[in-house]
């Protein structure tokens, strides 16, 4: 059974930093592009960042460019999201995902989600 178990998150003041991690099991980790999404209250889920199979290609939403950094360690089956200069608008539930097709879809594997709250 594929499992994505997230850790990290919590409450932080604006301008602070947090690091989210996602540990995968039950899949050939290096065969999947990995990503992070978030969903704020009253809003649709939005893309945050993604990293290709070997970590050579990283993409980010415009709203987090320069502040967030995604990385992966295929040996440890981990994908992380380092978040710096956090803003209140970053408050959301964050989900890691493993992409099983060429585009993000309902068939992707998802972590359980973790709350990130940025206070003013």
């Amino acid at each position: 059974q594929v499992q994505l178990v997230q850790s990290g998150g919590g409450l932080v003041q604006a301008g602070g930093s947090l690091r989210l991690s996602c540990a995968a099991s039950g899949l050939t980790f290096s065969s999947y592009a990995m990503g992070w999404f978030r969903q704020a209250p009253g809003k649709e889920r939005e893309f945050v960042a993604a990293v290709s199979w070997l970590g050579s290609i990283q993409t980010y939403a415009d709203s987090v460019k320069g502040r967030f950094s995604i990385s992966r360690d295929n040996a440890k089956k981990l994908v992380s999201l380092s978040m710096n200069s956090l803003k209140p608008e970053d408050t959301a539930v964050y989900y890691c995902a493993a992409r099983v097709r060429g585009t993000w879809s309902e068939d992707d594997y998802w972590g359980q989600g973790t709350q990130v709250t940025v206070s003013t």
Side-chain angles (χ1 to χ4, degrees):
Q1 182 179 357
V2 174
Q3 293 186 16
L4 301 177
V5 180
Q6 299 177 214
S7 61
L11 176 65
V12 66
Q13 281 193 329
S17 300
L18 285 173
R19 186 171 186 265
L20 307 181
S21 294
C22 178
S25 63
L27 78 168
T28 304
F29 184 74
S30 61
S31 297
Y32 294 83
M34 301 294 296
W36 289 92
F37 291 75
R38 67 187 182 187
Q39 187 168 18
K43 296 184 178 181
E44 296 292 322
R45 182 184 64 187
E46 66 173 339
F47 169 79
V48 176
V51 60
S52 60
W53 293 357
L54 299 179
S56 58
I57 303 174
Q58 302 168 17
T59 58
Y60 300 92
D62 288 340
S63 60
V64 305
K65 284 183 178 178
R67 300 188 299 118
F68 290 11
S69 178
I70 188 172
S71 62
R72 68 188 297 163
D73 185 334
N74 287 348
K76 298 180 179 179
K77 296 185 177 182
L78 289 173
V79 61
S80 299
L81 184 70
S82 295
M83 304 181 292
N84 301 309
S85 301
L86 283 162
K87 305 174 181 179
E89 50 264 45
D90 294 319
T91 296
V93 176
Y94 284 71
Y95 300 89
C96 67
R99 193 174 69 196
V100 301
R101 297 183 179 181
T103 59
W104 300 103
S105 75
E106 296 178 348
D107 295 326
D108 297 333
Y109 298 109
W110 296 90
Q112 80 276 17
T114 185
Q115 178 71 45
V116 172
T117 302
V118 184
S119 66
T120 58

